[in-house]
Amino acid sequence: MDGGYFSAHLSKLRRIIERQLGAAATPYLISDGGKRPRRYCLTLPPSAVGYGEIDAAAARADD
């Protein structure tokens, strides 16, 4: 995957999360570590991550 593709999708994901969560979005955003080399990660503790079914229609409406 090239950098431009990754960057575009990361920006889109960030906008969706910020739009849906508002001020509460910060802990859910993907961090790039702030320095090079970039090491992308979630800053959430593992206990905050869960799995569930996704409503595909609602996800497409956010695009």
Side-chain angles (χ1 to χ4, degrees):
M1 164 182 342
D2 75 14
Y5 177 87
F6 180 80
S7 183
H9 282 79
L10 179 60
S11 294
K12 183 177 180 181
L13 177 60
R14 183 179 298 258
R15 279 192 308 272
I16 291 169
I17 292 171
E18 289 174 339
R19 183 176 37 218
Q20 294 296 317
L21 300 178
T26 301
Y28 300 96
L29 297 174
I30 296 171
S31 171
D32 66 6
K35 59 183 178 180
R36 293 186 186 265
R38 302 288 188 210
R39 297 180 188 266
Y40 297 93
C41 66
L42 289 173
T43 57
L44 291 171
S47 62
V49 178
Y51 298 93
E53 199 167 316
I54 296 174
D55 180 353
R60 281 192 298 274
D62 289 335
D63 288 345

